[in-house]
Amino acid sequence: MKYFMIVLFHVVYSQVCAQEARIKGTVVQAENHIPILYAYVQLVNANNQISYTDVEGRFEFNALPAGTYYLSIHSLGHESIRDTLQLKTSETLFVTYELQESIIEIPEIEITARNEVAFTTINSIDFKLRPINTTQDLLRMVPGLFIAQHAGGGKAEQLFLRGFDVDHGTDVAISVDNMPVNMVSHAHGQGYADLHFVIPETVDNIQFNKGCFQANTGDFNTAGAVKFQTKNFIPENKVKIEAGRFNTYRALLLLNLFPAKDSVERKHSLYVASEAFYSKGFFENPQHFNRFNVFVKYHGILSRNTFLTASLSTFGSRWDASGQIPQRAVNDGSIGWFGSIDNSEGGNTSRSNANIQLTTEAGTLGTWINQVFWSNYAFSLFSNFTFYKEDPTHGDAIHQYENRNMFGYTTSLKRDYMAAGITVKTNIGGGYRGDVIDNIGLAHVERRVFLNDVKKGSIHENNLNGFMDASLLLSARLTFNAGLRYDYFLFSYKSSIEDSTSASRGQGVLSPKANIYYKLTHAVQLYLSGGYGFHSNDARVSVYKTNQSSLPRAKSADLGTNLKVGNKLFVNMALWYMYLESEYVYVGDDGLLELSGSTRRYGIDMSFRYQILKWLFADMDLNLAKPRYIDLPKGENYVPLAPPITSTGGLSVKQNNWSASLRYRFLGKRAAVEDNSIIASGYFIMDAVANYQWRMFQFGITAENIFNQKWREAQFATESQLKNETVPVTEIHFTPGTPFYIKGTIAVCF
């Protein structure tokens, strides 16, 4: 594979392409001139060449002979456009198209031999039909991704995807505007991904992929990757107020800072978004969760060929928590369903970001993108999982904390051209990420009062990477994609209390990728994907266990299809397989190393989007998985907390000025320990939402768990000992899920 990639890229870049003429265009919304992302553009009479618009709404066709061309443009939720263009020899023709907003029409979905079909279609449908008011809503937009909150609302959500208990992000790479969210060598858990710094109303789209098949995504991309893109423009100013049960309140401000005239021309945009949130919570001991966010973003067209995007944001939150409670304490009446054993749990966290991206159209070289980012991050968490097992006098409460600066640079050069009559799309790039954590530790505490250090030190971690990716559009029916990525890590850890553990280590990993997309008929696309991925281990694992890989590999394969059944049903379906190597894991809750063997997972993902009527839509995602350890005996090889079945779905109404949705979430029961002797129970929850717009006012009502089910949101098999017990007990410890909750919303747009 390595030799093949070297030869491929040598051929691609050594050929001289005779480009006769080009068409370069932009697609925008007619009502506000905001660029449309992933609009489908087709040259009907040029071998049916197709393109998808980028974040600037741009598309391009190269190496065209002079003549007459017929252009067709489609975008879900907009009226289609067709145009006739006359192209002269060696001419570059610039065109702009404005699409009028209309109802969503699934029959307009185009099946092609391109990889954009699945996620662009599902993303477009879901984004237009489902309201997004919380960061939880953002994550739930990814088909098959489940979340659980288990520490007072302020802690990053626990994630589940493709038979993985991802913890807080170990096996899902998450980014916002191409800036990493996952934290390496985190005080609580590797890959910790806290998205609470994102204001949901600023998110423009979500790109996702399952498996490890994209060369431009590296660390933590094993089960999948999720990329959030914030808006470059906001169509109008907005003030929103929300209020709900359990003394829950939220206020939002979206404000354009540039004059309206300049904003309509869309040459420059500058807006500020701010969010304040408070909730007393539904626990017997109030969680007093409060959060404050500010986000400022500039986007400017500096010239026809240069675009600048820059953003600043800051976020801070604080909360109390009731923690994970043992089932036996609820059964004997010691505490209630929403009670706690140690009510001193909780924490606070903050993150400030700066992110700058410069996009340059470099002529025949292609599109050159350069980005720099920086984050300052602080984290403090108080927890007690085992109560009095280790210390019968003071209890087992712990304090995990860190302060870090994360900074990085990425560059990529994208180029589309013709070579030997074949359309070639290349993307070559690289980057650097550095994490400087000068104060990271684990301490033993009693009711948040320090007792003694368990671990304390500093971590410096550096990641240098490069990748190559090429897509060959071999025909209107067949596309071949191949990629290669290399990552090198340098881990350093210096202990403040154990000098003998101070050390450093470097290691690299090579990750090949390959994808084939085939358009079988006008309604059926088949694809086959295979590749290697990895997630890095905590730096403390890397320097302690030099005979073990710091970058355990994942090997993944998908065999799938995207198809339209009739005119109104879109289906994505994939059979998948994943192997994950043996690894050592640093367990932040006790400061120890834990050996986890190699695993094998396989399953099937199914997504359905159905337009029943022009205004009524149904959707369902069903995900089946069989996760097992390879080296353990049968019956004792279950992967704890890895879900074998998950499903979401619902009905959505979209008509004129109002919309509504009724949705379900189902997560099946799963093994909590390797021999399946302890079971984590499943749940089925129904939610509902309705919105109405009248002139400049928007009204909404949201209800969660409308049948008021008692359910366990997060569950763990934990060995713990209560104050009155003489020996520890291993059983399910859980955080109860939200009871019936309702909130109302009113917003003013101007």
Side-chain angles (χ1 to χ4, degrees), residues 133 196 198-200 250-252 273-277 291-294:
N133 293 315
H196 291 111
V198 178
I199 299 175
R250 178 175 180 258
L252 169 77
S274 183
E275 174 193 44
F277 176 88
R291 181 179 71 241
F292 182 72
N293 292 24
V294 177

Side-chain angles (χ1 to χ4, degrees), residues 573-726:
M573 189 177 301
L575 295 168
W576 58 269
Y577 170 89
M578 177 168 286
Y579 165 82
L580 189 62
E581 283 181 348
S582 172
E583 60 188 278
Y584 276 87
V585 177
Y586 180 84
V587 183
D589 297 338
D590 57 20
L592 299 177
L593 298 175
E594 181 178 283
L595 177 62
S596 177
S598 57
T599 57
R600 180 187 297 116
R601 292 168 170 84
Y602 56 88
I604 182 170
D605 289 345
M606 293 174 280
S607 292
F608 305 89
R609 301 295 184 267
Y610 182 55
Q611 186 168 7
I612 303 172
L613 301 168
K614 281 187 175 295
W615 49 270
L616 180 61
F617 299 82
D619 68 271
M620 184 180 74
D621 297 310
L622 176 62
N623 312 98
L624 306 175
K626 187 175 181 179
R628 293 290 187 270
Y629 283 108
I630 295 175
D631 301 323
L632 296 179
K634 186 176 181 180
E636 301 176 14
N637 61 341
Y638 289 83
V639 180
L641 302 180
I645 179 171
T646 63
S647 182
T648 61
L651 294 172
S652 298
V653 172
K654 185 82 169 179
Q655 188 174 38
N656 298 327
N657 294 328
W658 68 280
S659 62
S661 184
L662 179 67
R663 305 197 55 74
Y664 76 85
R665 291 175 278 146
F666 170 72
L667 187 146
K669 66 180 182 179
R670 56 204 189 278
V673 292
E674 287 82 353
D675 64 2
N676 202 28
S677 60
I678 301 176
I679 302 295
S681 58
Y683 60 79
F684 181 91
I685 302 297
M686 293 286 294
D687 304 321
V689 62
N691 293 292
Y692 178 76
Q693 180 155 353
W694 178 70
R695 296 182 179 177
M696 61 187 298
F697 297 98
Q698 295 176 348
F699 305 93
I701 187 167
T702 301
E704 296 182 28
N705 191 6
I706 58 178
F707 297 120
N708 200 26
Q709 298 289 313
K710 265 189 173 182
W711 61 293
R712 300 172 177 87
E713 184 164 14
Q715 300 174 75
F716 303 89
T718 305
E719 185 181 45
S720 67
Q721 186 171 327
L722 301 177
K723 187 73 171 177
N724 60 346
E725 293 177 331
T726 57

Side-chain angles (χ1 to χ4, degrees), residues 47-62:
N47 295 324
N48 288 320
Q49 289 189 46
I50 61 173
S51 178
Y52 286 89
T53 55
D54 64 12
V55 69
E56 305 291 347
R58 298 170 300 171
F59 66 89
E60 183 174 341
F61 295 103
N62 295 310

Side-chain angles (χ1 to χ4, degrees), residues 8-65:
L8 172 64
F9 280 95
H10 174 76
V11 171
V12 165
Y13 276 92
S14 62
Q15 289 203 35
V16 178
C17 304
Q19 296 190 5
E20 299 180 30
R22 293 189 295 173
I23 298 174
K24 301 182 71 172
T26 304
V27 182
V28 300
Q29 300 178 33
E31 60 271 22
N32 50 36
H33 290 195
I34 291 178
I36 297 176
L37 178 66
Y38 296 130
Y40 171 88
V41 186
Q42 181 180 23
L43 278 182
V44 179
N45 60 331
N47 295 324
N48 288 320
Q49 289 189 46
I50 61 173
S51 178
Y52 286 89
T53 55
D54 64 12
V55 69
E56 305 291 347
R58 298 170 300 171
F59 66 89
E60 183 174 341
F61 295 103
N62 295 310
L64 299 174

Side-chain angles (χ1 to χ4, degrees), residues 214-284:
Q214 293 187 338
N216 62 350
T217 307
D219 201 3
F220 305 116
N221 180 200
T222 50
V226 184
K227 301 178 181 181
F228 296 93
Q229 178 71 42
T230 61
K231 296 175 180 178
N232 287 336
F233 308 92
I234 57 173
E236 55 195 357
N237 301 319
K238 178 180 288 188
V239 176
K240 179 190 284 189
I241 301 294
E242 299 177 349
R245 288 192 72 193
F246 317 119
N247 292 323
T248 301
Y249 308 97
R250 178 175 180 258
L252 169 77
L253 172 68
L254 281 174
L255 186 64
N256 267 312
L257 298 180
F258 273 9
K261 182 178 183 299
D262 192 29
S263 178
V264 170
E265 292 175 354
R266 298 304 173 194
K267 296 293 184 183
H268 303 277
S269 169
L270 178 65
Y271 70 88
V272 60
S274 183
E275 174 193 44
F277 176 88
Y278 171 81
S279 180
K280 184 179 179 181
F282 50 83
F283 294 92
E284 294 175 12

